[in-house]
Amino acid sequence: MKKNVHRLSIVSQERIADEIMKKLEAPVPSKGFYLMDETGVLQAVMPEVAGLKKGLMLTRARNFLPHTLKVLDNASKHTKDVYVRMAALLHDIGKPRTYRFEKDKVSFHRHEFVGERMAYKLCSG
């Protein structure tokens, strides 16, 4: 899989979106997203989500991907609605872009608004 990630560029956006939605429908969707991450597919098709792995210094949450996938799995225990599950997957995508460390404090000021714009762009194709 890793060797052929570059071939995803010839796959239609609609097909990729369908496959992502199938992963969201799974009983434990994190398994599919972890596999996508391990193979480089996540970076290729959802770089906003892959960006949650960016190292953020001086904070306990250096990698938001495990947290995000745990939220996704928890939401999946309570609903089969793929749009709620997608919201769980995308809920923190603005944090890496808004990370600030000032006066010994970490903040992600307005990450929800930055994440909203990123999610809109991602979901609009």
Side-chain angles (χ1 to χ4, degrees), residues 57-59 98-109:
M57 302 307 295
L58 303 171
T59 174
T98 59
Y99 167 77
R100 299 285 180 271
F101 183 76
E102 298 170 355
K103 299 179 185 174
D104 295 329
K105 290 187 181 181
V106 172
S107 73
F108 305 99
H109 185 66

Side-chain angles (χ1 to χ4, degrees), residues 79-117:
T79 184
K80 292 184 183 220
D81 186 326
V82 293
Y83 299 104
V84 172
R85 292 176 178 205
M86 179 67 83
L89 178 64
L90 302 180
H91 83 278
D92 271 345
I93 61 173
K95 280 192 172 179
R97 290 191 183 176
T98 59
Y99 167 77
R100 299 285 180 271
F101 183 76
E102 298 170 355
K103 299 179 185 174
D104 295 329
K105 290 187 181 181
V106 172
S107 73
F108 305 99
H109 185 66
R110 301 182 62 83
H111 79 275
E112 64 276 19
F113 299 109
V114 171
E116 175 187 9
R117 288 189 297 276

